[in-house]
């Protein structure tokens, strides 16, 4: 079983009681604009942003597009 989305439960991935698990942890990466932050893992399926909406602190409208992110570049008021 592979659980690549941290929002899914183990049961949703088909893991049964008594099975052994192997975890692979990646270092989270952080970048910031003037008033917002973004956190992601390279190649992961999630990006979290918070802070001032006008500075990139709200990404829910594009959440489905933020898959397999390799890097995020921050400008003064936005992420790319």
């Amino acid at each position: 079983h592979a659980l690549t989305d941290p929002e899914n439960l183990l049961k949703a991935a088909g893991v049964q009681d008594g099975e052994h698990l192997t975890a692979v942890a990646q270092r989270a990466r952080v970048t910031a604009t003037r008033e917002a932050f973004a956190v992601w893992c390279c190649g992961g399926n999630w990006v979290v942003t918070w802070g001032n909406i006008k500075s990139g602190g709200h990404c829910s409208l594009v959440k489905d597009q933020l898959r397999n992110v390799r890097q995020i570049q921050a400008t003064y008021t936005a992420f790319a």
Side-chain angles (χ1 to χ4, degrees):
H1 308 285
L3 183 63
T4 58
D5 186 344
E7 294 180 6
N8 286 341
L9 299 175
L10 293 175
K11 284 186 179 182
V15 176
Q16 300 294 318
D17 189 27
E19 288 186 311
H20 295 277
L21 299 176
T22 300
V24 177
Q26 294 181 330
R27 180 179 60 164
R29 298 171 191 253
V30 179
T31 192
T33 64
R34 180 177 176 207
E35 297 178 340
F37 297 90
V39 176
W40 76 101
C41 285
C42 185
N45 287 332
W46 58 270
V47 174
V48 177
T49 61
W50 70 97
N52 188 325
I53 291 173
K54 294 180 180 178
S55 293
H58 183 64
C59 69
S60 65
L61 295 176
V62 296
K63 181 179 178 181
D64 293 337
Q65 299 173 38
L66 301 175
R67 302 287 186 220
N68 298 313
V69 174
R70 299 285 177 221
Q71 71 178 43
I72 295 179
Q73 188 66 38
T75 66
Y76 190 68
T77 58
F79 297 110

